[in-house]
Each structure stands twice: as structure tokens, then as C-alpha cells.
Amino acid sequence: RQYGPGEGTNVVAFHDLDEDGRVSREEFSEVYAFWSSTTKAVVDGTPKKFQKYQLQDMRELNIEDLPARVKSKMLKASQKLEASLRQGRAADLNSRGAGDL
């Protein structure tokens, strides 16, 4: 695949943790592991009924192209999950004596 003139700079910047203009093997490994584990968590955490909408090439993703009914269901599911996670986080903080969020 060919990328535009700024893509090389973006790729280096993404991986260049110490911002020295170079990407060491350690930096690449750390960023790749973080990216990979985040992607796996997102894929694994996607409800089964929405997994068919996950795309291999994220450059092709255009959420606006999904049917309105599907977008609405996805939004409701994500809001429900976020509320659940926030409640769990608040309960965890309160159990540790951290007080209100």
C-alpha cells in the first residue's frame, strides 16, 4: 500500500516514545505490544452481534455508512457499557476510600 508524504512522519512519531526522531527496537516493541493488546481488547469486547461490522482495514471505516438502526443500537450498547464501567470504577474507588469521582 502506498501512503501520502506525511505518513512516514506519522508512523515514526507514533512509535518514537522518547521523541528523538528515531524508533529503537525497544520502542517499536513496546508500542506494538500496547497497540496489539488494545486492539485485541476492543475486538474481544465487541458484542457478537456487532462483530460483523469490524473491518480489517480501518481506513475504510465510515461509521456514517452503517444503517441508522445499527448505529443507534451500537450507541446504546456503548453508553450502557460506559455507565457500567463508571459505576464499577466509582465502587472500586469508594472501597479504597478515594471518595467521589
Side-chain angles (χ1 to χ4, degrees):
R1 169 180 289 227
Q2 292 185 341
Y3 296 101
E7 291 298 321
T9 302
N10 290 339
V11 169
V12 170
F14 181 75
H15 290 87
D16 186 12
L17 299 178
D18 63 7
E19 299 179 350
D20 67 354
R22 297 178 304 157
V23 178
S24 68
R25 287 184 179 149
E26 292 79 16
E27 287 173 311
F28 181 84
S29 296
E30 186 175 338
V31 171
Y32 183 83
F34 174 76
W35 170 82
S36 178
S37 64
T38 300
T39 300
K40 181 175 180 355
V42 169
V43 170
D44 291 349
T46 299
K48 298 277 185 219
K49 64 183 176 183
F50 298 133
Q51 287 182 358
K52 66 183 176 184
Y53 297 106
Q54 289 176 323
L55 305 174
Q56 296 299 318
D57 183 355
M58 294 308 288
R59 289 179 179 268
E60 302 297 322
L61 177 64
N62 191 347
I63 195 86
E64 291 82 15
D65 291 339
L66 292 173
R69 206 172 102 201
V70 171
K71 287 190 286 188
S72 177
K73 287 181 180 180
M74 286 180 168
L75 180 60
K76 286 178 184 173
S78 65
Q79 288 170 335
K80 183 178 178 181
L81 175 60
E82 183 176 354
S84 171
L85 293 172
R86 285 178 185 237
Q87 287 176 345
R89 175 88 171 123
D92 182 49
L93 289 174
N94 287 333
S95 72
R96 294 180 190 192
D100 294 333
L101 294 175

